[in-house]
Amino acid sequence: MSFFTHKDFDNHEQVCYFSDQDSGLKAIIAVHNTQLGPSLGGTRFFDYASDEDALTDALRLSRGMTYKSAMARLPLGGGKSVIIGNPKTLKSEALLKAFGNALERLNGIYVAAEDSGTSVPDMKVIHQQTEHVTGYHEKVASDGGSKSGDPSPATAYGCYLGIKAAVKHKFKRDDIAGLRIGVQGLGNVGYRLAEFLHQDGAHIIACDLNEAALEKAKQELNAEIVGLNDIYSQPMDIFAPCAMGATVNPETLKQLNVTIIAGSANNQLDTLKTGEELHTSGTLYAPDYVINAGGIIDVCYEHLGLYEAEKVNKHIEGIYDTLIEIFERSEKDNIPTALLADTIARERLNQGVPTLA
Ligand code: NAD
């Protein structure tokens, strides 16, 4: 397996492989860049078809985290870890503890958090072995109630604000009442996002594999439910991908007739070429790692011991301003938002370590 010549190698500072025979742990931790601080990124537990696929994911995702945190003005670098195997059958306390020991050996240059296949309770087990993990504390929510370490509500709040920024730029209005918004995936982020949108008077069109989530959305949010493959062709103003990656691609572009694409999913575009096509056709795309940064902002404050709901919400509200900056520069310089986001993230990476208020 090549590494320094790997197509996704991007001067990563360190990539480590860990194994533990007794628990079956096989993990890769990729530290892309620590210029702004310790690298922080989720732990993905997934049944990769090959070790090569796992490495590719770790390389790509860790680079993405450098850009996401720099863009969100956090004193964090970019890293990501992957655990190879089916979480439903392989995950055990012993394996999570072995992973915690692996984190401990890296001495804090990488900090783990939940991602697909891992959860808040998993982070609590990992924390028994190491301090280099976050996303598990009970916190005080902005309404005074309690909030688990789960960063999803923060991600949903950031996406909601990101949609409002896109609406402001495209439709020149501050409200979203009456807009038709397609939400693909009513999971931890998508459902909460749909609640925000519904509260503001938007009409929700939703799809998911999960029948219970669909029924709930129908009852609580008056959502219009459509089939998994029918979502793209619905008459909508906004498409919000909140399930898996690459659902905006040449095939779905043939069906999508929307003004804005803005949602929480990572890697929404299959390629940058799709981003260019959106730009040419006048569809406004809110770059995924900008709009979905609420979660990393949330866990960053938690990890640094600075968590206060109001401060965190204020920081998340910066997503609105960042997106407006991207949309305006994209228009002025005629550069697709997906490309421009990387340029602005690199600018911010070189502006020094941000301090949190
Ligand atoms: P989740 O697993 O809770 O929800 C995903 C939902 O999508 C589930 O309800 C699932 O049934 C549904 N789904 C799966 N396949 C589908 C399909 N083909 N069509 C429609 N729905 C489908 O995940 P989440 O935490 O809500 O995250 C959603 C997306 O946002 C993911 O791409 C994730 O990487 C990204 N994201 C999440 C966070 C966070 O804080 N949770 C942060 C940044 C990015």
Side-chain angles (χ1 to χ4, degrees):
M1 192 184 336
S2 62
F3 177 62
F4 293 112
T5 53
H6 192 289
K7 67 177 175 31
D8 293 302
F9 174 70
D10 179 51
N11 294 309
H12 288 70
E13 291 177 14
Q14 190 170 359
V15 177
C16 300
Y17 288 70
F18 293 92
S19 70
D20 175 65
Q21 192 175 13
D22 291 344
S23 65
L25 174 74
K26 287 199 182 102
I28 304 175
I29 300 178
V31 175
H32 175 251
N33 186 298
T34 56
Q35 203 173 317
L36 299 183
S39 69
L40 197 157
T43 300
R44 184 161 291 190
F45 202 144
F46 185 74
D47 202 3
Y48 291 97
S50 66
D51 296 355
E52 283 82 356
D53 284 0
L55 175 65
T56 298
D57 223 18
L59 291 176
R60 276 193 202 157
L61 293 167
S62 58
R63 176 182 183 277
M65 291 310 297
T66 299
Y67 281 60
K68 184 187 286 204
S69 288
M71 189 65 116
R73 298 195 191 283
L74 295 172
L76 293 177
K80 199 87 183 180
S81 52
V82 297
I83 299 178
I84 301 168
N86 182 344
K88 291 207 170 90
T89 51
L90 188 66
K91 198 190 286 178
S92 65
E93 187 171 333
L95 180 141
L96 293 170
K97 284 186 169 174
F99 183 68
N101 292 338
L103 295 179
E104 186 62 14
R105 270 190 246 169
L106 288 182
N107 213 17
I109 64 160
Y110 169 70
V111 180
E114 49 272 82
D115 198 83
S116 58
T118 57
S119 62
V120 173
D122 295 342
M123 297 305 126
K124 287 186 180 164
V125 176
I126 293 169
H127 179 240
Q128 291 174 33
Q129 309 302 114
T130 183
E131 288 299 321
H132 310 311
V133 57
T134 186
Y136 61 87
H137 289 98
E138 291 294 320
K139 299 176 275 204
V140 179
S142 44
D143 62 2
S146 98
K147 174 181 178 305
S148 84
D150 179 8
S152 307
T155 305
Y157 181 50
C159 282
Y160 159 68
L161 297 172
I163 286 176
K164 290 188 66 152
V167 167
K168 176 78 177 170
H169 184 77
K170 238 8 207 182
F171 298 129
K172 313 289 176 226
R173 54 186 268 198
D174 290 312
D175 73 299
I176 55 171
L179 292 178
R180 294 174 60 85
I181 307 182
V183 181
Q184 182 180 46
L186 292 171
N188 290 320
V189 180
Y191 198 91
R192 187 77 193 94
L193 172 65
E195 283 179 328
F196 280 123
L197 302 173
H198 170 71
Q199 274 160 19
D200 277 10
H203 176 74
I204 306 299
I205 301 155
C207 71
D208 200 298
L209 307 164
N210 180 342
E211 290 295 331
L214 291 174
E215 191 49 39
K216 193 164 172 250
K218 206 162 132 185
Q219 298 300 331
E220 292 180 355
L221 313 177
N222 198 22
E224 185 181 333
I225 307 304
V226 299
L228 296 181
N229 294 321
D230 299 329
I231 186 94
Y232 307 105
S233 56
Q234 297 301 312
M236 315 181 275
D237 301 291
I238 302 170
F239 175 52
C242 296
M244 61 286 179
T247 65
V248 184
N249 57 50
E251 276 314 300
T252 58
L253 277 190
K254 285 182 201 153
Q255 302 172 58
L256 279 167
N257 181 14
V258 294
T259 310
I260 291 165
I261 297 179
S264 76
N266 283 312
N267 304 320
Q268 288 167 36
L269 309 182
D270 63 336
T271 61
L272 273 179
K273 191 158 185 305
T274 296
E276 285 165 19
E277 277 169 34
L278 290 172
H279 182 70
T280 310
S281 69
T283 305
L284 186 64
Y285 169 63
D288 44 16
Y289 70 82
V290 184
I291 191 171
N292 73 16
I296 187 82
I297 294 170
D298 185 271
V299 294
C300 175
Y301 277 80
E302 176 185 332
H303 184 63
L304 298 177
L306 299 171
Y307 194 91
E308 274 175 43
E310 272 180 24
K311 268 200 232 165
V312 173
N313 282 349
K314 196 158 182 292
H315 199 133
I316 294 172
E317 283 152 20
I319 291 175
Y320 182 100
D321 302 326
T322 297
L323 282 169
I324 293 285
E325 180 184 342
I326 293 172
F327 298 152
E328 287 178 353
R329 270 177 69 173
S330 158
E331 207 168 79
K332 183 165 106 0
D333 300 339
N334 194 22
I335 300 174
T337 55
L339 261 183
L340 185 65
D342 285 2
T343 307
I344 297 178
R346 279 192 293 269
E347 286 169 8
R348 292 188 178 187
L349 187 60
N350 292 316
Q351 281 168 1
V353 179
T355 43
L356 301 183

mmCIF file of all heavy atoms in Angstrom, residues 95-136:
data_model
loop_
_atom_site.group_PDB
_atom_site.id
_atom_site.type_symbol
_atom_site.label_atom_id
_atom_site.label_comp_id
_atom_site.label_asym_id
_atom_site.label_seq_id
_atom_site.Cartn_x
_atom_site.Cartn_y
_atom_site.Cartn_z
ATOM 1 N N LEU A 95 -12.542 -3.366 23.082
ATOM 2 C CA LEU A 95 -12.034 -2.723 21.859
ATOM 3 C C LEU A 95 -11.976 -1.202 22.041
ATOM 4 O O LEU A 95 -10.982 -0.558 21.677
ATOM 5 C CB LEU A 95 -12.927 -3.096 20.670
ATOM 6 C CG LEU A 95 -12.509 -2.486 19.333
ATOM 7 C CD1 LEU A 95 -12.698 -3.497 18.203
ATOM 8 C CD2 LEU A 95 -13.282 -1.211 19.005
ATOM 9 N N LEU A 96 -13.021 -0.630 22.622
ATOM 10 C CA LEU A 96 -13.026 0.827 22.810
ATOM 11 C C LEU A 96 -11.917 1.248 23.763
ATOM 12 O O LEU A 96 -11.265 2.277 23.568
ATOM 13 C CB LEU A 96 -14.396 1.294 23.314
ATOM 14 C CG LEU A 96 -15.542 1.124 22.301
ATOM 15 C CD1 LEU A 96 -16.895 1.369 22.965
ATOM 16 C CD2 LEU A 96 -15.383 2.068 21.100
ATOM 17 N N LYS A 97 -11.680 0.420 24.780
ATOM 18 C CA LYS A 97 -10.601 0.751 25.712
ATOM 19 C C LYS A 97 -9.236 0.641 25.027
ATOM 20 O O LYS A 97 -8.343 1.461 25.258
ATOM 21 C CB LYS A 97 -10.663 -0.164 26.935
ATOM 22 C CG LYS A 97 -11.779 0.226 27.891
ATOM 23 C CD LYS A 97 -11.715 -0.590 29.152
ATOM 24 C CE LYS A 97 -12.645 -0.015 30.208
ATOM 25 N NZ LYS A 97 -12.715 -0.859 31.382
ATOM 26 N N ALA A 98 -9.091 -0.371 24.175
ATOM 27 C CA ALA A 98 -7.823 -0.506 23.427
ATOM 28 C C ALA A 98 -7.624 0.717 22.530
ATOM 29 O O ALA A 98 -6.505 1.227 22.380
ATOM 30 C CB ALA A 98 -7.847 -1.795 22.591
ATOM 31 N N PHE A 99 -8.732 1.204 21.966
ATOM 32 C CA PHE A 99 -8.634 2.410 21.131
ATOM 33 C C PHE A 99 -8.243 3.610 22.012
ATOM 34 O O PHE A 99 -7.416 4.442 21.606
ATOM 35 C CB PHE A 99 -9.961 2.664 20.409
ATOM 36 C CG PHE A 99 -9.910 3.841 19.492
ATOM 37 C CD1 PHE A 99 -9.136 3.811 18.333
ATOM 38 C CD2 PHE A 99 -10.610 5.010 19.781
ATOM 39 C CE1 PHE A 99 -9.064 4.918 17.482
ATOM 40 C CE2 PHE A 99 -10.542 6.114 18.954
ATOM 41 C CZ PHE A 99 -9.774 6.066 17.800
ATOM 42 N N GLY A 100 -8.805 3.667 23.216
ATOM 43 C CA GLY A 100 -8.432 4.732 24.164
ATOM 44 C C GLY A 100 -6.942 4.688 24.475
ATOM 45 O O GLY A 100 -6.278 5.724 24.545
ATOM 46 N N ASN A 101 -6.406 3.486 24.623
ATOM 47 C CA ASN A 101 -4.962 3.357 24.878
ATOM 48 C C ASN A 101 -4.147 3.881 23.691
ATOM 49 O O ASN A 101 -3.095 4.492 23.860
ATOM 50 C CB ASN A 101 -4.593 1.891 25.134
ATOM 51 C CG ASN A 101 -5.187 1.392 26.443
ATOM 52 O OD1 ASN A 101 -5.508 2.185 27.320
ATOM 53 N ND2 ASN A 101 -5.351 0.078 26.567
ATOM 54 N N ALA A 102 -4.658 3.625 22.499
ATOM 55 C CA ALA A 102 -3.968 4.117 21.287
ATOM 56 C C ALA A 102 -3.944 5.642 21.296
ATOM 57 O O ALA A 102 -2.907 6.267 21.018
ATOM 58 C CB ALA A 102 -4.678 3.599 20.036
ATOM 59 N N LEU A 103 -5.078 6.251 21.655
ATOM 60 C CA LEU A 103 -5.138 7.721 21.716
ATOM 61 C C LEU A 103 -4.138 8.244 22.745
ATOM 62 O O LEU A 103 -3.446 9.240 22.508
ATOM 63 C CB LEU A 103 -6.535 8.185 22.126
ATOM 64 C CG LEU A 103 -7.687 7.880 21.168
ATOM 65 C CD1 LEU A 103 -8.997 8.386 21.758
ATOM 66 C CD2 LEU A 103 -7.454 8.541 19.824
ATOM 67 N N GLU A 104 -4.061 7.550 23.862
ATOM 68 C CA GLU A 104 -3.171 7.973 24.945
ATOM 69 C C GLU A 104 -1.719 7.998 24.455
ATOM 70 O O GLU A 104 -0.958 8.903 24.774
ATOM 71 C CB GLU A 104 -3.351 7.008 26.128
ATOM 72 C CG GLU A 104 -2.622 7.371 27.386
ATOM 73 C CD GLU A 104 -3.055 8.705 28.015
ATOM 74 O OE1 GLU A 104 -4.105 9.245 27.645
ATOM 75 O OE2 GLU A 104 -2.284 9.194 28.857
ATOM 76 N N ARG A 105 -1.384 7.031 23.618
ATOM 77 C CA ARG A 105 0.003 6.980 23.119
ATOM 78 C C ARG A 105 0.330 8.176 22.225
ATOM 79 O O ARG A 105 1.475 8.557 22.079
ATOM 80 C CB ARG A 105 0.225 5.687 22.337
ATOM 81 C CG ARG A 105 0.712 4.578 23.250
ATOM 82 C CD ARG A 105 1.143 3.418 22.422
ATOM 83 N NE ARG A 105 0.244 2.315 22.670
ATOM 84 C CZ ARG A 105 0.190 1.216 21.973
ATOM 85 N NH1 ARG A 105 0.983 1.059 20.924
ATOM 86 N NH2 ARG A 105 -0.627 0.256 22.291
ATOM 87 N N LEU A 106 -0.710 8.738 21.586
ATOM 88 C CA LEU A 106 -0.450 9.888 20.712
ATOM 89 C C LEU A 106 -0.337 11.190 21.513
ATOM 90 O O LEU A 106 -0.084 12.258 20.939
ATOM 91 C CB LEU A 106 -1.532 10.018 19.643
ATOM 92 C CG LEU A 106 -1.462 8.952 18.548
ATOM 93 C CD1 LEU A 106 -2.547 9.193 17.516
ATOM 94 C CD2 LEU A 106 -0.101 8.953 17.865
ATOM 95 N N ASN A 107 -0.578 11.090 22.827
ATOM 96 C CA ASN A 107 -0.248 12.194 23.716
ATOM 97 C C ASN A 107 -0.970 13.507 23.392
ATOM 98 O O ASN A 107 -0.418 14.589 23.597
ATOM 99 C CB ASN A 107 1.271 12.407 23.648
ATOM 100 C CG ASN A 107 1.816 12.866 24.974
ATOM 101 O OD1 ASN A 107 1.138 12.728 25.991
ATOM 102 N ND2 ASN A 107 3.006 13.438 24.963
ATOM 103 N N GLY A 108 -2.150 13.414 22.800
ATOM 104 C CA GLY A 108 -2.948 14.627 22.624
ATOM 105 C C GLY A 108 -2.800 15.336 21.291
ATOM 106 O O GLY A 108 -3.457 16.355 21.066
ATOM 107 N N ILE A 109 -1.977 14.832 20.388
ATOM 108 C CA ILE A 109 -1.936 15.536 19.091
ATOM 109 C C ILE A 109 -3.188 15.208 18.288
ATOM 110 O O ILE A 109 -3.530 15.890 17.328
ATOM 111 C CB ILE A 109 -0.677 15.233 18.233
ATOM 112 C CG1 ILE A 109 -0.614 13.772 17.820
ATOM 113 C CG2 ILE A 109 0.592 15.696 18.881
ATOM 114 C CD1 ILE A 109 0.289 13.581 16.632
ATOM 115 N N TYR A 110 -3.912 14.156 18.708
ATOM 116 C CA TYR A 110 -5.207 13.853 18.101
ATOM 117 C C TYR A 110 -6.229 13.656 19.216
ATOM 118 O O TYR A 110 -5.959 12.966 20.202
ATOM 119 C CB TYR A 110 -5.140 12.575 17.230
ATOM 120 C CG TYR A 110 -6.524 12.113 16.826
ATOM 121 C CD1 TYR A 110 -7.266 12.847 15.909
ATOM 122 C CD2 TYR A 110 -7.107 10.984 17.400
ATOM 123 C CE1 TYR A 110 -8.563 12.469 15.563
ATOM 124 C CE2 TYR A 110 -8.389 10.596 17.061
ATOM 125 C CZ TYR A 110 -9.111 11.345 16.144
ATOM 126 O OH TYR A 110 -10.397 10.973 15.812
ATOM 127 N N VAL A 111 -7.401 14.264 19.043
ATOM 128 C CA VAL A 111 -8.501 14.134 20.005
ATOM 129 C C VAL A 111 -9.697 13.534 19.274
ATOM 130 O O VAL A 111 -10.104 14.035 18.215
ATOM 131 C CB VAL A 111 -8.882 15.515 20.594
ATOM 132 C CG1 VAL A 111 -10.023 15.384 21.594
ATOM 133 C CG2 VAL A 111 -7.666 16.182 21.241
ATOM 134 N N ALA A 112 -10.253 12.463 19.828
ATOM 135 C CA ALA A 112 -11.367 11.762 19.168
ATOM 136 C C ALA A 112 -12.713 12.325 19.609
ATOM 137 O O ALA A 112 -12.837 12.942 20.663
ATOM 138 C CB ALA A 112 -11.298 10.275 19.507
ATOM 139 N N ALA A 113 -13.715 12.089 18.788
ATOM 140 C CA ALA A 113 -15.112 12.426 19.116
ATOM 141 C C ALA A 113 -15.990 11.444 18.343
ATOM 142 O O ALA A 113 -15.470 10.633 17.564
ATOM 143 C CB ALA A 113 -15.425 13.865 18.719
ATOM 144 N N GLU A 114 -17.313 11.513 18.522
ATOM 145 C CA GLU A 114 -18.167 10.558 17.835
ATOM 146 C C GLU A 114 -18.283 10.867 16.343
ATOM 147 O O GLU A 114 -18.149 12.011 15.921
ATOM 148 C CB GLU A 114 -19.562 10.455 18.469
ATOM 149 C CG GLU A 114 -20.275 11.763 18.722
ATOM 150 C CD GLU A 114 -19.919 12.347 20.075
ATOM 151 O OE1 GLU A 114 -18.847 12.984 20.153
ATOM 152 O OE2 GLU A 114 -20.705 12.197 21.023
ATOM 153 N N ASP A 115 -18.543 9.834 15.581
ATOM 154 C CA ASP A 115 -18.768 9.959 14.142
ATOM 155 C C ASP A 115 -19.673 8.785 13.779
ATOM 156 O O ASP A 115 -20.181 8.094 14.665
ATOM 157 C CB ASP A 115 -17.420 9.877 13.396
ATOM 158 C CG ASP A 115 -17.506 10.420 11.977
ATOM 159 O OD1 ASP A 115 -17.400 11.635 11.805
ATOM 160 O OD2 ASP A 115 -17.689 9.623 11.033
ATOM 161 N N SER A 116 -19.844 8.504 12.484
ATOM 162 C CA SER A 116 -20.743 7.400 12.188
ATOM 163 C C SER A 116 -20.149 6.090 12.714
ATOM 164 O O SER A 116 -18.946 5.828 12.601
ATOM 165 C CB SER A 116 -21.089 7.324 10.699
ATOM 166 O OG SER A 116 -19.965 7.200 9.954
ATOM 167 N N GLY A 117 -20.994 5.319 13.380
ATOM 168 C CA GLY A 117 -20.567 4.056 13.974
ATOM 169 C C GLY A 117 -20.107 4.180 15.411
ATOM 170 O O GLY A 117 -19.864 3.179 16.067
ATOM 171 N N THR A 118 -19.957 5.419 15.910
ATOM 172 C CA THR A 118 -19.601 5.591 17.325
ATOM 173 C C THR A 118 -20.579 6.579 17.966
ATOM 174 O O THR A 118 -21.240 7.348 17.259
ATOM 175 C CB THR A 118 -18.152 6.103 17.515
ATOM 176 O OG1 THR A 118 -17.998 7.333 16.799
ATOM 177 C CG2 THR A 118 -17.146 5.097 17.042
ATOM 178 N N SER A 119 -20.652 6.555 19.309
ATOM 179 C CA SER A 119 -21.712 7.307 19.983
ATOM 180 C C SER A 119 -21.174 7.957 21.264
ATOM 181 O O SER A 119 -20.032 7.711 21.669
ATOM 182 C CB SER A 119 -22.822 6.327 20.367
ATOM 183 O OG SER A 119 -22.264 5.375 21.268
ATOM 184 N N VAL A 120 -22.036 8.734 21.893
ATOM 185 C CA VAL A 120 -21.667 9.368 23.165
ATOM 186 C C VAL A 120 -21.257 8.298 24.206
ATOM 187 O O VAL A 120 -20.188 8.421 24.820
ATOM 188 C CB VAL A 120 -22.824 10.262 23.695
ATOM 189 C CG1 VAL A 120 -22.510 10.793 25.090
ATOM 190 C CG2 VAL A 120 -23.096 11.411 22.732
ATOM 191 N N PRO A 121 -22.034 7.225 24.389
ATOM 192 C CA PRO A 121 -21.597 6.206 25.371
ATOM 193 C C PRO A 121 -20.231 5.598 25.013
ATOM 194 O O PRO A 121 -19.437 5.291 25.907
ATOM 195 C CB PRO A 121 -22.699 5.136 25.304
ATOM 196 C CG PRO A 121 -23.904 5.867 24.788
ATOM 197 C CD PRO A 121 -23.399 6.939 23.883
ATOM 198 N N ASP A 122 -19.932 5.460 23.729
ATOM 199 C CA ASP A 122 -18.613 4.926 23.331
ATOM 200 C C ASP A 122 -17.505 5.873 23.791
ATOM 201 O O ASP A 122 -16.443 5.438 24.259
ATOM 202 C CB ASP A 122 -18.514 4.776 21.806
ATOM 203 C CG ASP A 122 -19.484 3.748 21.259
ATOM 204 O OD1 ASP A 122 -19.972 2.922 22.048
ATOM 205 O OD2 ASP A 122 -19.766 3.789 20.046
ATOM 206 N N MET A 123 -17.767 7.195 23.623
ATOM 207 C CA MET A 123 -16.742 8.171 24.028
ATOM 208 C C MET A 123 -16.503 8.089 25.542
ATOM 209 O O MET A 123 -15.390 8.269 26.016
ATOM 210 C CB MET A 123 -17.159 9.606 23.623
ATOM 211 C CG MET A 123 -17.286 9.812 22.130
ATOM 212 S SD MET A 123 -15.799 9.361 21.204
ATOM 213 C CE MET A 123 -16.458 8.206 20.007
ATOM 214 N N LYS A 124 -17.579 7.788 26.274
ATOM 215 C CA LYS A 124 -17.426 7.669 27.735
ATOM 216 C C LYS A 124 -16.515 6.488 28.087
ATOM 217 O O LYS A 124 -15.701 6.573 29.000
ATOM 218 C CB LYS A 124 -18.795 7.480 28.400
ATOM 219 C CG LYS A 124 -19.607 8.760 28.397
ATOM 220 C CD LYS A 124 -20.894 8.613 29.179
ATOM 221 C CE LYS A 124 -21.673 9.915 29.138
ATOM 222 N NZ LYS A 124 -23.056 9.805 29.530
ATOM 223 N N VAL A 125 -16.648 5.388 27.345
ATOM 224 C CA VAL A 125 -15.782 4.224 27.600
ATOM 225 C C VAL A 125 -14.333 4.581 27.244
ATOM 226 O O VAL A 125 -13.400 4.303 28.012
ATOM 227 C CB VAL A 125 -16.248 2.994 26.778
ATOM 228 C CG1 VAL A 125 -15.282 1.827 26.973
ATOM 229 C CG2 VAL A 125 -17.668 2.589 27.163
ATOM 230 N N ILE A 126 -14.150 5.214 26.103
ATOM 231 C CA ILE A 126 -12.796 5.590 25.665
ATOM 232 C C ILE A 126 -12.158 6.517 26.714
ATOM 233 O O ILE A 126 -10.972 6.415 27.022
ATOM 234 C CB ILE A 126 -12.857 6.264 24.264
ATOM 235 C CG1 ILE A 126 -13.295 5.233 23.213
ATOM 236 C CG2 ILE A 126 -11.521 6.896 23.887
ATOM 237 C CD1 ILE A 126 -13.645 5.825 21.855
ATOM 238 N N HIS A 127 -12.997 7.384 27.288
ATOM 239 C CA HIS A 127 -12.489 8.354 28.270
ATOM 240 C C HIS A 127 -11.947 7.680 29.534
ATOM 241 O O HIS A 127 -11.155 8.265 30.277
ATOM 242 C CB HIS A 127 -13.606 9.346 28.627
ATOM 243 C CG HIS A 127 -13.182 10.347 29.645
ATOM 244 N ND1 HIS A 127 -13.791 10.493 30.870
ATOM 245 C CD2 HIS A 127 -12.158 11.238 29.633
ATOM 246 C CE1 HIS A 127 -13.175 11.432 31.562
ATOM 247 N NE2 HIS A 127 -12.187 11.910 30.842
ATOM 248 N N GLN A 128 -12.339 6.427 29.758
ATOM 249 C CA GLN A 128 -11.770 5.724 30.933
ATOM 250 C C GLN A 128 -10.266 5.519 30.765
ATOM 251 O O GLN A 128 -9.547 5.325 31.732
ATOM 252 C CB GLN A 128 -12.452 4.363 31.115
ATOM 253 C CG GLN A 128 -13.908 4.480 31.546
ATOM 254 C CD GLN A 128 -14.598 3.129 31.575
ATOM 255 O OE1 GLN A 128 -13.983 2.118 31.871
ATOM 256 N NE2 GLN A 128 -15.874 3.125 31.261
ATOM 257 N N GLN A 129 -9.794 5.554 29.508
ATOM 258 C CA GLN A 129 -8.371 5.305 29.261
ATOM 259 C C GLN A 129 -7.575 6.570 28.956
ATOM 260 O O GLN A 129 -6.354 6.560 29.004
ATOM 261 C CB GLN A 129 -8.193 4.365 28.041
ATOM 262 C CG GLN A 129 -9.001 3.097 28.095
ATOM 263 C CD GLN A 129 -8.698 2.269 29.322
ATOM 264 O OE1 GLN A 129 -9.550 2.100 30.186
ATOM 265 N NE2 GLN A 129 -7.479 1.754 29.418
ATOM 266 N N THR A 130 -8.289 7.644 28.540
ATOM 267 C CA THR A 130 -7.538 8.808 28.056
ATOM 268 C C THR A 130 -8.349 10.088 28.175
ATOM 269 O O THR A 130 -9.591 10.059 28.120
ATOM 270 C CB THR A 130 -7.130 8.604 26.573
ATOM 271 O OG1 THR A 130 -6.352 9.726 26.156
ATOM 272 C CG2 THR A 130 -8.342 8.475 25.654
ATOM 273 N N GLU A 131 -7.649 11.215 28.285
ATOM 274 C CA GLU A 131 -8.309 12.531 28.266
ATOM 275 C C GLU A 131 -8.458 13.040 26.834
ATOM 276 O O GLU A 131 -9.108 14.066 26.606
ATOM 277 C CB GLU A 131 -7.468 13.556 29.051
ATOM 278 C CG GLU A 131 -7.482 13.381 30.546
ATOM 279 C CD GLU A 131 -8.889 13.512 31.141
ATOM 280 O OE1 GLU A 131 -9.655 14.372 30.677
ATOM 281 O OE2 GLU A 131 -9.206 12.714 32.039
ATOM 282 N N HIS A 132 -7.849 12.331 25.878
ATOM 283 C CA HIS A 132 -7.818 12.871 24.513
ATOM 284 C C HIS A 132 -9.046 12.444 23.725
ATOM 285 O O HIS A 132 -8.959 11.849 22.645
ATOM 286 C CB HIS A 132 -6.526 12.452 23.813
ATOM 287 C CG HIS A 132 -5.304 12.738 24.633
ATOM 288 N ND1 HIS A 132 -5.092 13.969 25.216
ATOM 289 C CD2 HIS A 132 -4.261 11.955 25.011
ATOM 290 C CE1 HIS A 132 -3.968 13.932 25.910
ATOM 291 N NE2 HIS A 132 -3.448 12.724 25.801
ATOM 292 N N VAL A 133 -10.198 12.738 24.288
ATOM 293 C CA VAL A 133 -11.479 12.392 23.671
ATOM 294 C C VAL A 133 -12.481 13.434 24.155
ATOM 295 O O VAL A 133 -12.343 13.987 25.248
ATOM 296 C CB VAL A 133 -11.905 10.956 24.065
ATOM 297 C CG1 VAL A 133 -11.987 10.781 25.574
ATOM 298 C CG2 VAL A 133 -13.236 10.578 23.431
ATOM 299 N N THR A 134 -13.464 13.747 23.312
ATOM 300 C CA THR A 134 -14.469 14.734 23.704
ATOM 301 C C THR A 134 -15.836 14.302 23.175
ATOM 302 O O THR A 134 -15.974 13.228 22.583
ATOM 303 C CB THR A 134 -14.053 16.149 23.220
ATOM 304 O OG1 THR A 134 -14.973 17.106 23.740
ATOM 305 C CG2 THR A 134 -14.033 16.253 21.707
ATOM 306 N N GLY A 135 -16.851 15.155 23.404
ATOM 307 C CA GLY A 135 -18.198 14.823 22.914
ATOM 308 C C GLY A 135 -18.936 13.858 23.810
ATOM 309 O O GLY A 135 -19.752 13.071 23.342
ATOM 310 N N TYR A 136 -18.666 13.896 25.140
ATOM 311 C CA TYR A 136 -19.372 12.965 26.026
ATOM 312 C C TYR A 136 -19.911 13.635 27.292
ATOM 313 O O TYR A 136 -20.658 13.027 28.038
ATOM 314 C CB TYR A 136 -18.446 11.807 26.433
ATOM 315 C CG TYR A 136 -17.219 12.267 27.181
ATOM 316 C CD1 TYR A 136 -17.260 12.427 28.558
ATOM 317 C CD2 TYR A 136 -16.052 12.587 26.505
ATOM 318 C CE1 TYR A 136 -16.158 12.902 29.246
ATOM 319 C CE2 TYR A 136 -14.950 13.059 27.183
ATOM 320 C CZ TYR A 136 -15.009 13.206 28.542
ATOM 321 O OH TYR A 136 -13.924 13.692 29.222
#
